[in-house]
Amino acid sequence: MAASVHLLPAVFLFSVFPAVVWSRGDVLELGDADWDYLAPEHQTMLVKFYAPGCGHCKKLSPEFEKAASRLKGTVRFAKVDCTSQTETCSRFGITGFPTLKIFRNGRDSGLYDGPRTTDGISQYMKKQTGPDSVQLQTPEDLQNFVNHYDASVVGVFSGEESSGLLEFLKAAALLRDQFRFAHTTERHLGEEHGIQAEGVLLFRPPRLSSRFEDSVVVFTDYLTINSLRRFIRDHIHGLCPHMTLENKDRLRVRDLLTAFYDLDYRHNVKVSNYWRNRVMKVASQYKTAGLTFSVANKKDFLSELEDDFGLGTSDGGELPFVTIRTKLGHKFTMREEFTGGGGGVVVVAETFDKMVNDPDKDVLIQFYSPSCSHCKKLQPIYTELAEQVSADPNMVVVKMNGVDNDVPLSYDVQG
């Protein structure tokens, strides 16, 4: 008799929640019977609506599950099989697979339109957690917020009832998937950056700090969602942004020159900025020429470099690949060695006599081989020397590829 009494609650529970199933990994399987009970429990949830036989769904599945594991405890990931849970899929207007949607406390917050790689999904969804805009109270709050890998947008307002603050918060809610927002009513936090009343500060990432541009840009125009969106769009990337797989499409709306090299801002900021600063030196001279500039990790774009530009991993050695892709899709490759905007002139056989044997100039020439490890090690030092003496019209620093060019007989180059 006692056994039958204890079994009844268990039978009852399974009849109420028949579709609650944990899939492999950290992705929750939801269905028609349990959506309204479970979905509201999660502040932020990314849901994949799929069909088991869908090829694109199968391709996305491992990336989705790895992102779910990475963000476990921060963002809930779930999935709904639309071939069996038709009521839920119809309710949210699902017509194609896979469809990803973001939900907040069970309410549809909109389509997920971000990247579909593990890193991309993780980064995108991290920005979906917490408030649309973080409130700052102290200088330490401000410093901690802007000391971040990504750019930061900070609004400074006169009070909680400010019409500018209300508009700023609306913009933050719409754009939080792309940018980081914070706000303050402590106006002294803006005074250091020239804001006396109300305004918005755009802080570029500290890792991209450079003498060629300001680290902070100030917006003091009349604030609307559209005006703030334009301000961020026009200034957030600066002279030479770090192009990634996630932001490449936004950067390529204009003619774009990109230097590809072993860039790694998480583990080697100094080396990453060595070549970026040289690109920026050139970019600062072409601000109004219609050409934009960027740097990228060549490992992230190997297939593109091979397929679109014919560049392999052995090309260029430790020097950057430099390419131009126009907004119309035309592609160009810089075949000369990248020297960083004047940091050493490249000489070939046809120009040797004119450049090196000029009686009015003192000339230092380096004969090198592209495969020579000692030459590669010398390259940064030689480039820096060239830049230091570039202001002297009587001094020229040049170099010549001794393998691909005929070295004049009067120069005894043996190694």
Side-chain angles (χ1 to χ4, degrees):
M1 185 68 174
S4 62
V5 172
H6 287 296
L7 284 173
L8 284 175
V11 173
F12 175 73
L13 286 173
F14 276 103
S15 67
V16 173
F17 307 120
V20 180
V21 179
W22 286 97
S23 69
R24 287 180 302 173
D26 299 294
V27 181
L28 180 65
E29 183 91 29
L30 293 176
D32 296 341
D34 51 56
W35 178 276
D36 289 332
Y37 177 79
L38 289 178
E41 292 185 352
H42 304 291
Q43 184 179 32
T44 305
M45 182 167 66
L46 180 63
V47 180
K48 176 181 68 172
F49 296 89
Y50 73 102
C54 162
H56 293 295
C57 301
K58 293 177 182 178
K59 182 178 179 180
L60 174 63
S61 182
E63 303 293 330
F64 190 80
E65 293 196 7
K66 284 187 283 187
S69 298
R70 187 175 295 183
L71 296 184
K72 184 177 180 179
T74 304
V75 177
R76 168 61 70 204
F77 282 63
K79 60 183 180 179
V80 177
D81 180 352
C82 289
T83 62
S84 59
Q85 310 302 318
T86 56
E87 181 182 327
T88 302
C89 295
S90 176
R91 175 179 172 184
F92 295 112
I94 307 302
T95 57
F97 310 114
T99 295
L100 302 182
K101 276 180 169 284
I102 299 171
F103 290 84
R104 301 186 191 282
N105 302 114
R107 295 189 298 273
D108 186 353
S109 186
L111 283 170
Y112 169 94
D113 60 355
R116 299 205 171 190
T117 62
T118 299
D119 288 342
I121 295 171
S122 301
Q123 291 172 14
Y124 189 104
M125 290 308 299
K126 280 181 182 178
K127 296 177 182 178
Q128 300 297 322
T129 60
D132 298 329
S133 177
V134 178
Q135 186 162 12
L136 308 177
Q137 302 285 355
T138 67
E140 290 74 23
D141 290 344
L142 175 61
Q143 187 59 40
N144 290 336
F145 183 77
V146 302
N147 188 24
H148 195 272
Y149 190 81
D150 296 319
S152 306
V153 182
V154 179
V156 181
F157 302 98
S158 57
E160 297 291 345
E161 302 304 318
S162 166
S163 60
L165 174 57
L166 297 177
E167 196 73 6
F168 181 85
L169 293 177
K170 291 178 185 176
L174 289 173
L175 303 174
R176 63 174 293 163
D177 59 325
Q178 301 177 49
F179 312 113
R180 305 176 66 249
F181 290 91
H183 64 277
T184 183
T185 55
E186 303 294 331
R187 287 169 53 183
H188 64 275
L189 297 184
E191 292 174 357
E192 179 182 346
H193 302 285
I195 293 182
Q196 302 302 320
E198 294 191 340
V200 177
L201 299 168
L202 190 156
F203 292 83
R204 295 190 175 114
R207 64 189 170 92
L208 300 182
S209 177
S210 170
R211 63 187 175 88
F212 293 103
E213 64 182 354
D214 295 330
S215 297
V216 183
V217 188
V218 182
F219 174 81
T220 56
D221 293 345
Y222 182 70
L223 199 157
T224 66
I225 293 176
N226 287 333
S227 66
L228 182 59
R229 190 201 308 265
R230 285 193 298 270
F231 166 73
I232 297 172
R233 179 198 65 197
D234 293 344
H235 295 91
I236 195 163
H237 294 306
L239 280 176
C240 183
H242 171 195
M243 186 175 75
T244 65
L245 294 172
E246 281 70 45
N247 68 14
K248 64 178 183 178
D249 292 333
R250 292 199 295 272
L251 295 178
R252 287 172 174 171
V253 296
R254 301 174 65 185
D255 297 345
L256 180 68
L257 180 149
T258 304
F260 297 90
Y261 55 98
D262 291 329
L263 179 152
D264 185 351
Y265 274 111
R266 295 197 181 277
H267 301 101
N268 201 334
V269 174
K270 184 176 180 180
V271 171
S272 296
N273 276 332
Y274 174 83
W275 287 113
R276 179 175 178 267
N277 285 334
R278 278 144 184 78
V279 175
M280 289 192 73
K281 183 175 182 180
V282 178
S284 65
Q285 301 170 19
Y286 289 87
K287 291 181 181 179
T288 60
L291 182 64
T292 57
F293 296 78
S294 69
V295 292
N297 185 346
K298 66 181 179 183
K299 294 178 182 177
D300 292 340
F301 292 88
L302 280 180
S303 60
E304 179 179 301
L305 289 168
E306 292 174 356
D307 296 343
D308 293 352
F309 297 97
L311 296 170
T313 55
S314 61
D315 294 326
E318 296 179 0
L319 300 179
F321 298 147
V322 180
T323 70
I324 293 177
R325 183 188 295 268
T326 72
K327 59 185 176 183
L328 297 178
H330 301 305
K331 298 179 283 288
F332 305 91
T333 303
M334 178 176 165
R335 293 298 178 182
E336 299 83 0
E337 284 196 358
F338 178 70
T339 59
V345 178
V346 177
V347 177
V348 295
E350 290 80 3
T351 60
F352 187 94
D353 188 62
K354 179 181 178 180
M355 297 290 299
V356 179
N357 296 327
D358 186 341
D360 298 323
K361 296 183 184 298
D362 295 323
V363 180
L364 174 66
I365 182 168
Q366 174 201 18
F367 296 96
Y368 70 97
S369 166
S371 61
C372 165
S373 60
H374 296 294
C375 301
K376 293 175 183 178
K377 186 175 181 181
L378 177 63
Q379 173 64 27
I381 301 171
Y382 198 74
T383 299
E384 187 173 348
L385 171 65
E387 291 180 350
Q388 290 178 359
V389 303
S390 62
D392 186 346
N394 299 314
M395 180 70 186
V396 180
V397 176
V398 300
K399 59 183 183 178
M400 183 178 191
N401 184 332
V403 176
D404 295 339
N405 292 278
D406 295 325
V407 178
L409 296 177
S410 57
Y411 291 82
D412 185 19
V413 178
Q414 299 181 1

